[in-house]
Structure formats: C-alpha cells, structure tokens
Amino acid sequence: DFLFFWGAVFLITTTLVALLKKENKELTPTKEETKGITDTYRLLFSIIKMPAVLTFCLLILTAKVGFSAADAVTGLKLVEEGVPKEHLALLAVPMVPLQIILPLIISKYTAGPQPLNTFYKAMPFRLLLGLEFAFLVWWTPKVKHEGGFPVYYYVVVLLSYALHQITLYSMYVAIMAFNAKVSDPLIGGTYMTLLNTVSNLGGNWPSTVALWLVDPLTVKECAGAQDQTCGTTVAAEV
C-alpha cells in the first residue's frame, strides 16, 4: 500500500509537470557540454587520464573498505539475533530530522579551501563505530529476554546509529563539496557525474564483497553432530 500510494503520487505529479510546465522560449539555450554519447565518453576518458583525477578515483574507490562490513551486515545480524525488523525500521524515523540537519551543519566546514579535511577527520571515528557495531551484535543475544529487548537496548542502538550518521554525512558532504570544487565549470555536469559515480561505486563494491564473505567467514557449530563443522551450506542443512 505504501509503495502503491507513493507510486501513484509520483506518476500524477510528473504527468502534471509534463503537461502544465512550459519552456521559456525567450531565453537562448546555453551551449551544450558535448554533442553526443561518443563525445561524452571521449571527454570522460580524457578527464580520468589526468594524474590527479586518477589518484583521487583510486582513493575514493578504496576509502570505504574499512567500514563496508559494519555498514552492510550489522542490520542483518541484529535481525538474525532476534531484533524485529519493524523495530529497526522504526528507529530510522528519528534519523530523518538528523539527516536533514547534518548537511546544513557540515556544509559550513566543507565550504572552505580544503573540504576533504572533514572527510579525513571523520574516517577514524567511522572505523571505531565499526568496532562498536561488532560489539553491539555480540551484546544483542545477551540482553534478549522472553518479552523481547529492554528499552535501554534500543536507546543504545539509536545512539549508535545517530553517531554513525554523523560520520557518514561528514564524509559524504565533504566528498560532494570537493567534487563540486574541482569540477571544471565548462563541463561541470559531466565532471561531477564522473566523480560522483566513482564515489558511489567505491561505496557499493566493498559492501557487496562484505555480504558475499559473510557465510565463508562465519564460524558455525552443529549441535548433536560429531565431527561436523557445518562449514558449508549443505553440511549446515544436514
């Protein structure tokens, strides 16, 4: 119902924009950055060949490896340990005002000549929060009781998520500010798209690898089955 409602709203509003919004014919259109797909990719290739851009791309492709497991797996492990999915979803609601306010606050510190300083300062704290998330997963089954989880447990989870959002947005806003600062204004759209795409890829591939490694790196024990390590999916099912 939720998805159907917002899907309908999306279709109605975009249709109204298409039907009612008219282009201003008096304004002369600005010169396009490129003439076609071939020109665009040729331009992107020439940008990425620059030594500084290549170094920066390598940085943002590998910078998020250290906290990929904590970001991708923590929520799944909490659910596995018995935390109801709907409770975790509800904890996301108080995060919304924080997510709106944080970019406004952080942008004051990334507006200067060195926006990446905020990125570097936030990284060790985000790595430490990865350890805190690991402790949280370990602690979860120890506080569980028949009625579920105590209120103080959800308070700890909420505070952990809030601190994580602060470090996450500090790095995100800083990298966006840096991308905007170094992009050539003449080809701003193409330049920004390239850097933001590489930045997004740098966050997605480590999370994918982390999720893929969950099973191979998880130690399992089989109750009532001697000489059985349950190291494989088939053995665990048996």
Side-chain angles (χ1 to χ4, degrees):
D1 291 343
F2 176 84
L3 291 173
F4 180 80
F5 174 79
W6 287 111
V9 170
F10 177 80
L11 287 171
I12 292 166
T13 50
T14 48
T15 303
L16 287 173
V17 169
L19 294 174
L20 302 177
K21 180 66 179 172
K22 302 297 180 187
E23 294 290 344
N24 192 340
K25 301 294 183 184
E26 295 176 6
L27 294 174
T28 54
T30 55
K31 186 182 178 183
E32 291 186 8
E33 295 174 359
T34 50
K35 294 178 181 178
I37 294 174
T38 308
D39 288 344
T40 303
Y41 279 99
R42 193 177 289 121
L43 179 63
L44 287 171
F45 187 67
S46 65
I47 292 169
I48 208 164
K49 280 197 300 183
M50 292 190 288
V53 175
L54 198 60
T55 305
F56 179 62
C57 286
L58 288 172
L59 167 73
I60 55 180
L61 276 172
T62 55
K64 297 176 183 177
V65 170
F67 30 78
S68 57
D71 288 4
V73 184
T74 301
L76 298 173
K77 284 295 175 185
L78 292 180
V79 171
E80 190 180 285
E81 295 294 349
V83 181
K85 288 193 286 286
E86 57 271 23
H87 289 184
L88 284 179
L90 280 173
L91 290 177
V93 176
M95 295 294 108
V96 174
L98 187 67
Q99 290 166 349
I100 295 170
I101 295 165
L102 277 174
L104 297 172
I105 298 170
I106 297 164
S107 60
K108 294 178 182 178
Y109 300 97
T110 58
Q114 295 177 315
L116 279 186
N117 281 352
T118 307
F119 182 92
Y120 296 140
K121 289 175 183 175
M123 183 175 278
F125 293 103
R126 193 167 171 188
L127 287 168
L128 286 171
L129 278 170
L131 293 174
E132 198 268 337
F133 277 1
F135 170 78
L136 190 65
V137 172
W138 171 83
W139 182 56
T140 298
K142 299 185 183 303
V143 295
K144 187 180 180 181
H145 52 75
E146 290 183 6
F149 292 88
V151 175
Y152 67 83
Y153 171 78
Y154 288 109
V155 172
V156 171
V157 173
L158 188 64
L159 287 173
S160 301
Y161 273 33
L163 290 171
H164 178 259
Q165 289 295 309
I166 292 170
T167 57
L168 187 151
Y169 272 83
S170 295
M171 295 179 72
Y172 176 76
V173 174
I175 212 84
M176 291 297 112
F178 181 79
N179 290 349
K181 193 173 186 64
V182 300
S183 296
D184 188 340
L186 293 175
I187 50 168
T190 306
Y191 217 123
M192 280 285 287
T193 301
L194 172 66
L195 295 179
N196 290 344
T197 301
V198 176
S199 180
N200 289 335
L201 187 62
N204 289 335
W205 81 260
S207 297
T208 305
V209 173
L211 287 168
W212 181 73
L213 288 172
V214 169
D215 272 351
L217 294 177
T218 299
V219 179
K220 301 181 184 73
E221 294 178 3
C222 290
Q226 292 182 351
D227 302 323
Q228 189 61 266
T229 59
C230 296
T232 64
T233 306
V234 176
E237 285 176 0
V238 170

